[in-house]
Amino acid sequence: MSNFLQLVAKDLHHRFGDSLPEVTLVFPSRRAGLFFNKYLAELISKPIWSPKVITINELMQQIAELNVDDSINLVTKLYTTYNKIRGINEPFENFYFWGEVMLADFDQVDKYMVDAKQLFSNIKDIKEIEEKFGGLTPEQTEALKDYLGVMANNQISELREKHLNIWGILFNIYKQFKDELEKEKLAFEGMAYRKAAEILSDRSTSPPLPNPIAFVGFNALNNCEKALFKRCKGDVNTLFYWDYDPVFVDNKKHEAGMFIRNNLLHFPNALPRQLIEDSAKKPKSVKMVAAPSNVAQTKLVPKILKEMMLEGAQLNESTAVVLPKENLLIPTLQAIPPEAEELNITMGYPIKETPAYSIAEFLVKLQMNAKVNSEGVLRFYHKDVLAVLNHPYCRLCEPEISLDLANSLKRNNRIYPRREELALSPFFDQIFTIEESSKNLTKYLLAICNRIAQVVYEKASSDTNQHLRIDLEFLYALHKSITRLQGVLSNQEFEITHKVFLQLLRKAFAQERVSFSGEPLAGLQLMGFLETRALDFESIVILSFNDDVLPGRNHPVSFITPSLRFAFGLPDYKHHDAVYAYYFYRLLNRAKNIYLVYNSRAEGLSSGEKSRFGLQLEMEQMKGQIETIPVGYDLMLTPTSPVTIEKSQEVIDKLTENLSRRSGGITLSPSGLTTYITCPLRFYFRYVAKIDEEEEVSEEAGALEFGRIIHKTMEELYSNLTGKLVTANDIKSILAKEKLIEDTLDNIFNEIFLKDNSAKKDELSGRNLLARNAMIYTIKKMLRFDANRAPFTLISHEQEVYTQISINNPNIKSVRLGGSVDRIEENNNSIWAIDYKTGKHDKRKGKFQEVDELFDPTKIDAGKEVFQTFCYSLALKELHPQKAIKPAIWFVKVAKSVNDFNINRKVKTKSYPVNDFREYNDEFLAGLSNLLTDIFNSNIPFSQTTDTDKCKTCPFINICGREQ
């Protein structure tokens, strides 16, 4: 049995013989022309010139004598026309989206030879009716405000007027835009089609039509193409070759035959119907495979191909893997089995999926968000900087500097790093500069692209890594796209924003593909869905056979309402579905082994439904019985075993090494001890394995930074009063110096959070500005509170205090315990250890019943603050042995009197303040000694907490398998 192009080749060879080179062949794609020549070569016995192959687009442009201009250039020209007609100077970024919509509508209007004046008048009339009866919804109003530039909420009547005015001038824009293009011998595709069709429809003209000519493998024809076919049919020797499945042609309700039935009626097929029917008479095996994910689809490819081989299929040009979604190309390539000795990739890889695209986009975003302050300091946004630094091309060009810079930004929390911090090499000096003009962005991108390409080329020359050679192809495609955009923008007199430049760059990239080299007529064929037009294969695997892909959703944004589309014969969703239905059923017509693989998982915009064509196959049984094969994951997961770390001598040695300080020996803080009480394994990760939490740049001052800044600011404001009796007047004197308070806090905010002493207050925005103002309020509140409770003697702020705790261990006699106390005071012959708490207050905090519960893992969350202040009190007792030590917690947000500082011990229903820690000293000291002994006891392993609620906020949750 022959496939369609073989039938065409035989028929043409039979008709023309040695004169075949005189025939011009028009195919829907050049790929079909290549296969045609292959089949023709099999029929001839001597060398001849191959027939001329041309696309219908090229033929229409030749007849019209117009050149189709670049799509980006067309939008910019349309913008100029739009502003002239409206008599305004609307920003290009407001116009760009609607400009593309207009261009698409104009293209269809011309291709279907619609009376534009009548159409756009009707649009205006319909819109006026809609406005007069019902008005605009709030959502429509907001959307139109954005698109049409009417921003005031009280201008609804003006908004309506402007809305209608745009509908009213569409025809004028359309007409003048075309006139301007024709003066330059330029056109958009539909315009060239229409001009050609008008010439063809005028019998007095003599268009340059090839003679003889053959149209092969077409389906849906617009009115301009119909005019071409009609003129060719009447004037020159013309042959029409239509391919179809008689089943859907005979069924007038079948969408796949919507266009082909009409084509056969007006332009009869050069091939007899019986020949078409006979060529498709072969048994079929159709299997639909439900894969649980997109990746799983590609993983099934080798198994499917091997099954096909067992059924007699060959992994050559008779077998095709069809990818309606091009983003599956790379994983599919990786899944092709070694049995496929040759492979031909007919679809180009989209540049938008390459590292070249991402580096260009990152660089433009870097420029978009860069800012220069009032003093001329250039800063960049950390997310853009990190995206550039972590890009593989930057890591390739500057491996050490890029890594060090990225770590430094995270470590120092640099939200807006300065240029001087980043330009540490000639390469980064070139990147971290500013281009205020969007037109200069192309030069900026090209310079960096060339520099990267040079490094990649040098490394590829001395390396066997094939990926680097592929990267050179990606960078070349990038260079072409940017150069093309540069040519368009250089001719424009208006300036565009960086945001619009990024949109234009994306559009330029969307049209670029990186081609793969290979023999197009040999090997397993890997192709896109539309590339299968006019081609036939014995074995077919179609991936992404989902309804949202085939036929896909077709709801384009348009100025033309659906009712008018129907009335004027413009394409709508039915047209789209019929086109894809034809391509699908025609592809299956001569195939023997067919696998239709779809993603059955509903996620994102995908519903996980098989294509409606698959349902149609099952219900109508057009191709016989369909076998459905579900594929699932084995989710029988082994339960996670508890994690324990034995305290071998190596582990103990590592622990003592990590905790040892030069002068103080083994040292632990109260927070380290509460970590062990909460979860011994967490203690191991932090203090033995020394696993640090991944550093990230924090854009907003959180609770930790809020507390540190408050602590440090209070210390600075009281610096001149340390060691003195502080009176109410002293504090009121500080309160009166509002600028001092603000300047002090701002300096500390810059130091602790921004890590930039040169930062200015006016550079703060959003929540950081709110946090800064909240800190000012909190500081003043604390000062007023102190003024009410004065006098007191301020001994110190942020003083480090330590004490030695004896433990029962033959190798370790004692451990030093302590840390920094927020404030130490003397009041009424007592030493107060005050711990500031600026976060959320919990009524359980600051209370305990028995000292033992401070060492209880189930109660430590509520007792951490008490445990911490007791540790500090233990150390202070040694510094002030003759005085009472009062542990105190200052909950800044809720404290109303000095009594709220109290740590209270609850006995039944009563609470007793802890005014002298010495009452609890022995009991607490014994508990500490036992706890430290357990930590260094080699017989007690580091184990997980049994309270899984504590795991939810643990940074090591993924390591120990407690994700649930």
Side-chain angles (χ1 to χ4, degrees):
M1 294 182 186
S2 300
N3 62 42
F4 172 64
L5 291 179
Q6 284 177 318
L7 295 176
V8 174
K10 288 178 182 178
D11 187 75
L12 285 170
H13 185 255
H14 175 73
R15 290 175 186 267
F16 294 97
D18 292 343
S19 300
L20 190 54
E22 300 173 7
V23 180
T24 297
L25 303 176
V26 186
F27 290 98
S29 71
R30 290 198 174 274
R31 178 70 49 185
L34 283 173
F35 274 84
F36 171 84
N37 283 334
K38 175 192 175 184
Y39 300 135
L40 179 62
E42 294 171 356
L43 298 174
I44 61 178
S45 57
K46 61 181 180 179
I48 64 170
W49 291 107
S50 65
K52 182 180 179 181
V53 173
I54 190 172
T55 65
I56 198 165
N57 290 16
E58 294 167 341
L59 182 57
M60 295 298 260
Q61 288 181 55
Q62 288 176 13
I63 296 169
E65 296 183 338
L66 294 173
N67 295 316
V68 174
D69 199 4
D70 182 275
S71 59
I72 298 175
N73 209 22
L74 287 169
V75 174
T76 60
K77 290 178 183 295
L78 181 59
Y79 168 68
T80 303
T81 304
Y82 173 84
N83 277 343
K84 283 181 183 177
I85 291 177
R86 294 215 60 202
I88 61 173
N89 189 21
E90 183 143 0
F92 185 69
E93 61 185 293
N94 289 359
F95 170 80
Y96 178 73
F97 172 79
W98 287 117
E100 289 202 309
V101 174
M102 281 185 200
L103 198 57
D105 283 346
F106 293 168
D107 186 73
Q108 287 192 342
V109 164
D110 276 359
K111 282 182 176 176
Y112 286 83
M113 302 187 73
V114 171
D115 184 334
K117 186 173 183 179
Q118 183 184 10
L119 171 65
F120 292 130
S121 296
N122 278 332
I123 290 178
K124 184 175 184 294
D125 295 339
I126 287 175
K127 291 300 172 183
E128 285 177 343
I129 292 171
E130 290 177 353
E131 291 301 319
K132 290 175 182 176
F133 297 93
L136 298 171
T137 66
E139 292 80 9
Q140 289 172 323
T141 301
E142 287 303 312
L144 286 168
K145 283 179 182 179
D146 288 340
Y147 292 134
L148 305 180
V150 181
M151 304 307 294
N153 291 330
N154 59 353
Q155 293 181 330
I156 298 302
S157 59
E158 180 185 341
L159 175 63
R160 285 177 174 165
E161 183 180 354
K162 193 169 184 180
H163 183 191
L164 290 172
N165 284 343
I166 287 187
W167 301 118
I169 62 174
L170 276 177
F171 175 71
N172 292 336
I173 295 172
Y174 164 83
K175 187 174 184 304
Q176 187 166 329
F177 178 53
K178 290 182 63 174
D179 290 343
E180 296 287 342
L181 288 175
E182 192 153 13
K183 289 177 185 176
E184 302 178 48
K185 292 292 184 181
L186 297 175
F188 52 88
E189 190 173 88
M191 177 180 166
Y193 269 53
R194 186 167 197 147
K195 180 72 180 293
E198 289 169 349
I199 294 171
L200 293 163
S201 300
D202 184 353
R203 300 301 303 182
S204 65
T205 63
S206 300
L209 295 176
N211 187 20
I213 187 171
F215 295 95
V216 183
F218 286 88
N219 174 37
L221 303 175
N222 57 51
N223 290 352
C224 294
E225 291 166 338
K226 288 177 183 177
L228 171 65
F229 281 32
K230 185 177 180 181
R231 183 68 182 262
C232 288
K233 180 183 176 184
D235 287 12
V236 297
N237 183 7
T238 307
L239 295 169
F240 302 100
Y241 291 94
W242 308 102
D243 189 23
Y244 56 89
D245 185 337
V247 173
F248 64 67
V249 170
D250 294 341
N251 182 356
K252 294 183 179 181
K253 293 183 179 180
H254 201 294
E255 59 187 341
M258 179 185 291
F259 304 107
I260 204 73
R261 284 189 289 270
N262 188 62
N263 295 339
L264 289 168
L265 181 64
H266 292 92
F267 310 105
N269 200 352
L271 295 175
R273 175 185 170 107
Q274 189 61 43
L275 196 61
I276 294 288
E277 289 183 349
D278 290 344
S279 69
K281 287 181 178 178
K282 60 171 63 176
K284 299 185 189 301
S285 168
V286 182
K287 297 178 181 178
M288 261 186 291
V289 184
S293 71
N294 281 330
V295 174
Q297 291 185 77
T298 63
K299 297 297 183 185
L300 290 170
V301 169
K303 183 177 180 181
I304 290 172
L305 292 177
K306 288 177 181 177
E307 287 185 4
M308 285 181 165
M309 291 173 68
L310 292 175
E311 296 171 4
Q314 293 181 307
L315 300 189
N316 56 16
E317 64 274 11
S318 66
T319 301
V321 178
V322 182
L323 305 176
K325 290 184 73 174
E326 56 190 9
N327 62 345
L328 289 183
L329 176 58
I330 295 300
T332 303
L333 277 174
Q334 295 170 342
I336 297 297
E339 287 83 356
E341 296 180 358
E342 290 184 284
L343 180 64
N344 179 47
I345 308 167
T346 68
M347 59 191 300
Y349 189 62
I351 191 175
K352 67 180 182 179
E353 302 289 340
T354 69
Y357 166 79
S358 61
I359 189 64
E361 182 162 300
F362 291 161
L363 290 170
V364 176
K365 288 181 178 178
L366 184 80
Q367 294 292 325
M368 283 173 58
N369 298 319
K371 57 184 183 180
V372 180
N373 67 11
S374 56
E375 297 180 356
V377 178
L378 174 59
R379 296 177 181 272
F380 297 94
Y381 184 45
H382 74 94
K383 285 188 177 179
D384 302 326
V385 174
L386 289 172
V388 171
L389 293 176
N390 290 326
H391 193 278
Y393 288 164
C394 287
R395 289 291 172 91
L396 190 69
C397 295
E398 293 285 2
E400 294 182 4
I401 296 178
S402 58
L403 180 60
D404 291 344
L405 261 177
N407 291 336
S408 176
L409 292 182
K410 294 176 184 179
R411 184 171 57 252
N412 296 316
N413 204 59
R414 304 293 289 113
I415 302 173
Y416 283 98
R418 299 187 304 277
R419 165 179 158 75
E420 296 75 36
E421 302 173 61
L422 303 171
L424 301 182
S425 71
F427 178 61
F428 285 137
D429 180 69
Q430 189 175 21
I431 288 178
F432 296 111
T433 185
I434 191 167
E435 295 292 347
E436 296 181 354
S437 169
S438 294
K439 291 183 180 179
N440 289 336
L441 274 178
T442 52
K443 297 178 183 177
Y444 168 80
L445 292 175
L446 284 172
I448 295 171
C449 171
N450 291 337
R451 194 180 188 98
I452 294 172
Q454 182 180 359
V455 174
V456 173
Y457 174 76
E458 290 171 357
K459 292 186 178 293
S461 300
S462 60
D463 197 332
T464 57
N465 190 342
Q466 292 295 325
H467 290 295
L468 292 177
R469 291 174 173 81
I470 294 175
D471 280 319
L472 282 175
E473 295 292 335
F474 293 161
L475 289 165
Y476 174 67
L478 171 68
H479 193 281
K480 285 198 302 182
S481 296
I482 299 173
T483 303
R484 172 170 157 245
L485 183 58
Q486 185 182 41
V488 172
L489 295 180
S490 62
N491 297 323
Q492 307 308 321
E493 297 179 357
F494 56 87
E495 183 63 43
I496 63 173
T497 64
H498 286 20
K499 181 179 179 181
V500 174
F501 179 89
L502 182 59
Q503 290 177 303
L504 294 176
L505 190 69
R506 287 170 175 166
K507 186 175 180 64
F509 281 152
Q511 300 173 33
E512 284 290 342
R513 296 290 186 274
V514 181
S515 300
F516 291 87
S517 60
E519 172 51 54
L521 301 176
L524 176 68
Q525 303 289 304
L526 195 58
M527 55 177 49
F529 184 72
L530 293 181
E531 291 171 322
T532 64
R533 289 175 293 180
L535 302 181
D536 292 300
F537 303 94
E538 286 192 6
S539 303
I540 301 170
V541 182
I542 301 181
L543 302 184
S544 299
F545 189 62
N546 288 77
D547 197 59
D548 52 337
V549 179
L550 287 178
R553 301 184 180 94
N554 183 46
H555 304 290
V557 180
S558 174
F559 286 104
I560 306 170
T561 61
S563 57
L564 282 173
R565 281 186 169 275
F566 177 78
F568 282 86
L570 287 169
D572 56 11
Y573 72 93
K574 290 182 179 178
H575 178 281
H576 172 86
D577 291 357
V579 167
Y580 275 78
Y582 169 80
Y583 291 143
F584 172 73
Y585 284 106
R586 195 216 63 80
L587 181 61
L588 268 56
N589 197 26
R590 297 178 184 84
K592 179 181 178 183
N593 298 313
I594 303 162
Y595 281 80
L596 308 172
V597 187
Y598 66 97
N599 177 7
S600 61
R601 181 181 178 184
E603 57 181 341
L605 297 177
S606 175
S607 62
E609 297 179 26
K610 71 179 73 170
S611 171
R612 67 195 70 175
F613 301 148
L615 294 172
Q616 199 171 33
L617 284 172
E618 290 176 325
M619 295 179 67
E620 298 180 5
Q621 296 189 356
M622 295 172 57
K623 305 296 180 185
Q625 191 67 33
I626 310 300
E627 182 182 355
T628 300
I629 306 171
V631 177
Y633 288 127
D634 181 7
L635 298 178
M636 298 297 290
L637 302 177
T638 304
T640 304
S641 303
V643 179
T644 59
I645 305 295
E646 298 295 332
K647 292 178 185 171
S648 63
Q649 189 58 49
E650 182 181 359
V651 170
I652 294 292
D653 291 344
K654 193 65 178 176
L655 176 61
T656 55
E657 177 188 341
N658 291 340
L659 295 179
S660 295
R661 296 187 184 177
R662 289 182 180 179
S663 58
I666 299 173
T667 304
L668 266 168
S669 65
S671 64
L673 294 182
T674 56
T675 297
Y676 183 87
I677 297 170
T678 301
C679 176
L681 188 62
R682 184 170 179 173
F683 179 91
Y684 167 82
F685 289 141
R686 178 165 292 169
Y687 294 99
V688 182
K690 296 292 284 185
I691 300 175
D692 296 323
E693 298 178 35
E694 184 177 356
E695 293 181 305
E696 295 291 342
V697 176
S698 175
E699 295 189 39
E700 299 173 3
L704 179 62
E705 291 82 11
F706 193 99
R708 291 177 60 201
I709 293 169
I710 293 293
H711 288 35
K712 184 69 173 175
T713 303
M714 289 294 289
E715 180 183 3
E716 288 293 319
L717 292 175
Y718 276 136
S719 60
N720 293 330
L721 298 175
T722 302
K724 300 177 182 178
L725 178 68
V726 180
T727 65
N729 288 335
D730 293 330
I731 300 171
K732 289 176 181 178
S733 175
I734 297 173
L735 275 166
K737 301 173 183 176
E738 190 162 339
K739 187 174 185 306
L740 172 67
I741 296 173
E742 293 193 12
D743 289 348
T744 302
L745 184 132
D746 288 339
N747 291 336
I748 293 167
F749 191 97
N750 293 346
E751 176 190 342
I752 291 178
F753 180 63
L754 298 178
K755 306 291 178 66
D756 184 358
N757 293 328
S758 65
K760 304 296 180 184
K761 183 179 71 176
D762 58 7
E763 295 179 15
L764 292 180
S765 61
R767 293 188 179 182
N768 283 335
L769 184 58
L770 293 176
R772 180 259 182 196
N773 293 338
M775 292 174 193
I776 294 289
Y777 171 82
T778 301
I779 291 295
K780 291 178 179 178
K781 178 180 179 181
M782 294 176 73
L783 290 170
R784 286 193 292 269
F785 191 94
D786 271 349
N788 292 332
R789 58 182 283 266
F792 53 85
T793 299
L794 180 60
I795 296 176
S796 66
H797 261 104
E798 305 299 331
Q799 179 180 337
E800 289 192 349
V801 294
Y802 293 95
T803 183
Q804 292 287 340
I805 309 296
S806 299
I807 66 172
N808 184 19
N809 189 293
N811 300 313
I812 303 170
K813 300 302 181 183
S814 65
V815 174
R816 193 170 74 140
L817 174 66
S820 180
V821 185
D822 293 342
R823 187 198 288 193
I824 302 173
E825 296 178 2
E826 184 173 355
N827 209 330
N828 295 325
N829 207 35
S830 294
I831 303 299
W832 287 32
I834 301 176
D835 192 25
Y836 297 143
K837 295 299 176 187
T838 56
K840 184 178 179 181
H841 178 251
D842 187 330
K843 292 183 179 180
R844 299 177 304 162
K845 305 288 187 181
K847 301 180 178 69
F848 72 101
Q849 291 181 346
E850 300 294 338
V851 172
D852 285 349
E853 70 186 39
L854 299 178
F855 301 90
D856 187 340
T858 63
K859 298 179 180 180
I860 189 60
D861 284 346
K864 282 181 179 178
E865 289 79 6
V866 176
F867 183 93
Q868 185 177 9
T869 52
F870 270 24
C871 288
Y872 295 147
S873 298
L874 186 67
L876 282 172
K877 183 179 72 67
E878 296 183 8
L879 295 176
H880 304 277
Q882 306 303 319
K883 295 183 179 180
I885 306 297
K886 181 179 176 64
I889 304 175
W890 187 350
F891 292 104
V892 172
K893 291 184 178 180
V894 298
K896 296 179 180 179
S897 72
V898 73
N899 290 331
D900 292 329
F901 283 19
N902 290 335
I903 290 176
N904 294 300
R905 180 184 180 189
K906 293 187 66 176
V907 180
K908 295 183 180 180
T909 59
K910 293 184 178 182
S911 295
Y912 299 94
V914 178
N915 291 321
D916 190 351
F917 169 75
R918 290 178 295 183
E919 298 176 19
Y920 303 93
N921 179 83
D922 294 343
E923 193 175 357
F924 186 70
L925 183 59
L928 283 176
S929 181
N930 292 335
L931 175 63
L932 290 167
T933 299
D934 288 348
I935 289 175
F936 292 94
N937 189 339
S938 59
N939 295 319
I940 302 175
F942 292 111
S943 57
Q944 290 172 299
T945 177
T946 57
D947 184 358
T948 55
D949 286 339
K950 290 184 172 66
C951 300
K952 294 177 181 178
T953 57
C954 178
F956 310 111
I957 184 172
N958 295 323
I959 299 177
C960 61
R962 286 272 180 90
E963 291 92 342
Q964 297 85 353

